[in-house]
Amino acid sequence: MTSPLTPGIVSGRLAGEALSRNFEDLHAPLDAHEAAVAADRCYFCHDAPCVTACPTEIDIPLFIRQIATGQPQASARTILEQNILGGMCARVCPTETLCEEACVREAAEGKPVEIGRLQRFATDSVMAAGVHPFDRAPSTGKRVAVVGAGPAGLACAHRLAMLGTDVVIYEARSKPGGLNEFGIAAYKTTEDFAQREVDWLMQIGGIEIRHDSALGDAVTLDALIADYDAVFLGLGLGGVNALGIDGADKDGITDAVDFIATLRQAPDLAALPVGRDVVVIGGGMTAIDAAVQSKLLGAETVTVAYRRPQDQMPASRYEQDLAASKGVRILANVMPKAIHGNGAVREIELEYTAVSEDGRVSGTGETVRLKADQVLRAIGQTLTVDGGLSVEGGKIATTGAGRTSHDKVWAGGDCTAGEDLTVVAVAEGRDAAEDIHATLTGARA
Amino acid sequence: MADLKTNFVGIESPNPFWLASAPPTDKEYNVRRAFEAGWGGVVWKTLGAEGPPVVNVNGPRYGVVYGADRRVLGINNIELITDRPLETNLEEMARVKADYPDRALIASIMVPCEEAAWKAILPRVAETNADGIELNFGCPHGMSERGMGSAVGQVPEYIEMVTRWCKQYYDRPVIVKLTPNITDIRYPARAAHNGGADAVSLINTVSSITSVNLDNFSPEPSIDGKGSHGGYCGPAVKPIAMNMVAEIARDPECAGLPISGIGGITTWRDAAEFMALGAGNVQVCTAAMTYGFKIVEEMKRGLSQWMDEKGYGSTAEFVGRAVPNVTDWQYLNLNYVTKARIDQDSCIKCGRCYAACEDTSHQAISMSADRVFEVIDAECVACNLCVDVCPVEACITMERLEAGAVDPRTGKTVSDDYYNWTMHPNNPSSQAAE
């Protein structure tokens, strides 16, 4: 029998019941009355700031008013017209830095309208009814290949299918969903929501997904360009930055994305091993997701080590507070210097940092050692496949609605510039689809 | 604590809050609970003539209109007068009055428009030792189909006739309860006055349909798929009621006629407003039906606090204080020029003022790219819509232009002389007089 105090990376630190409780829905869904009350708080602003703040520009005041007037399914249609993954975005969007930050009631009283939860209420109603509110337009006779069944690829595929184009998605993994399925904390998307959402999205028809078909492996970009009228790349970032310090090859050092992916696919959380003392290197959402879940699995201590001051963390304040509330310690202004241990990691040595006026981070020479039997790297991901397209700043270069250096290839999502958020990926996939459609049907000027 | 003791047409009560004749006052049990909770008076549920009592529907008798969070804004009802035997009610009234001599107990009555019917019931009511009677000429549903209730209240001659009978056969105060389902409330009030009424009470409920079921297309409350108009009450009717109270209070022909104010009174403030408009006391129903009898406690404490703050020693000191300020439109001062002012520090940038003004008013608010909203004085007619729709209290206010200032909209210098429509050259009557 193991416990949080058992040394090493072991499974079963917590009983099944505690694990189920820990990994419950982070935000319980609103019931109909709660939704009505929450919806009533919306002021129906003119040219609403929340809409401007939404990367997919959902007409938020309108969908909230539709909830208030008793029509959650019509409300969902308003959402889904702009964001076909509105259900997932309702769960994973950092609303505190997007729509809800812009909400005038945030300015007025520090309590924004609960836009994310209302969006979930509406989209859940459509999912529960099993209704797909969109129909396909007459066939354009065009065929488009989409690489990656993540948020960008799915959004692009759905919009193209809706516009009458036939789509084949090439997905490297054996399941669709991309980071929705593999890369987000389990408590944000419970009850297999990512798969249910893909199934629901596929009801539009005209989309075929070919799994285990990684670009550059099972299929090449040249072949897709030859076989299809256009190609959309939504392949994400396949690589993880290296630590580049002494001892980085010791056992017990894992990529945070792999840790999360394994957790998300684990049939039994009690069988999932986690360290007693976990240190997560990084300061983004992935770092927080990995840290919080380590703690929820039963690690005794979990530390997020971030190289800059805490107020510069890419993870939102809300996520930082969530981590703190779960018992995760955030240590800012430290960078990894060495990893010690005999074969397996035993300690991590961190050096304190100073940030210069121009934003450069340098070590102060002072170090601290933390007990660690598991180290999770969350220090950024990298593009691994570019298909020979122009690359800029480590991402596929695009102009306009995702146009790449090849005139038959569009790209969007994490493999292109811009914030690496689900909602941004959806917007890019959708907009690329519209541009592809306009190009292929000659409507584009 | 200010003294809330009230004398209304000679009837003393410890406070001006009476329960209106309505479902809450149908039985001894309820009325005792009301008095224990502190109500100053009760108008008993309307009595009908001797004989088999009326019957009520056996399905739902109330419909509702909600605001946010299911807050009750209005209720309508299709309940008739008491469906219990006259004798039962009279016995209970006598017992309750004996036990609560300091509280007002009023008998509400609705019998056919025949002298004999009134002559028969009045002595029996007198035996209960009730402090007075209220003639129910108001209920718009059910009983009106039988020539009673609002069917009487809509014919001033009937009101006067019945009131006269009552004054003839009953020697305590007679209050005539008026229906709002008429065109000009002053006519029935004058009729009551002419008939010798000691007071009028108003408003009774407003004929209404609260909602329609869009599955079976039945009005609510639905009785086996059908609905009948009900009587609407609650906060939603308060503005209508206050206007009617004020119209009577300032009508020279009704001069001095006491008024018992009714219509959506839910808080001390509502009561104070009715009383300022001339009501000597108030009657409450929907607030009690929504929150229970305890609601009177807030009304009492609130009114007392306000009276203390204002230095009023008794309710009589502020009753009617707003009446002289209720006037005809033609006498409003046209030289009172105001402009909207937006306090940028409290503005939350929702843009509702802009949308309202731009779409539905005078395009007098500008919006910058960074959502700063400013009033364009040259366009602002001071309509007040921006103030009304702004979600932040006191963010937008109406500020008066001082005399001597130039109104950028009209280009005219503001004068502090009183100047109204009767003096205006565009008024055909004023020109004719020249």
Side-chain angles (χ1 to χ4, degrees), chain A residues 100-179:
Chain A
E100 292 180 16
E101 182 181 56
C103 177
V104 300
R105 297 199 79 147
E106 170 64 27
E109 62 214 81
K111 289 196 189 81
V113 174
E114 291 184 280
I115 299 168
R117 295 182 81 192
L118 285 166
Q119 179 165 320
R120 175 167 172 185
F121 176 78
T123 50
D124 277 0
S125 76
V126 164
M127 296 274 292
V131 177
H132 190 90
F134 304 109
D135 296 317
R136 294 192 73 188
S139 173
T140 59
K142 305 293 181 183
R143 295 174 69 243
V144 172
V146 167
V147 179
L154 289 169
C156 182
H158 184 274
R159 182 56 60 105
L160 283 168
M162 202 168 86
L163 293 169
T165 294
D166 291 327
V167 180
V168 178
I169 301 180
Y170 294 84
E171 166 55 44
R173 299 198 192 237
S174 56
K175 272 171 123 177
L179 290 181

Side-chain angles (χ1 to χ4, degrees), chain A residues 33 37 40 42-49 104-105 107-108, chain B residues 68-70 348-352 354-355 367 371 373 391-392:
Chain A
H33 180 70
V37 172
D40 188 73
C42 175
Y43 286 144
F44 205 75
C45 294
H46 174 74
D47 192 13
V104 300
R105 297 199 79 147
Chain B
D69 203 1
R70 285 175 75 89
I348 60 171
K349 305 190 187 305
C350 68
R352 276 170 44 161
Y354 175 82
M367 174 179 174
R371 302 185 72 82
F373 299 93
V392 180

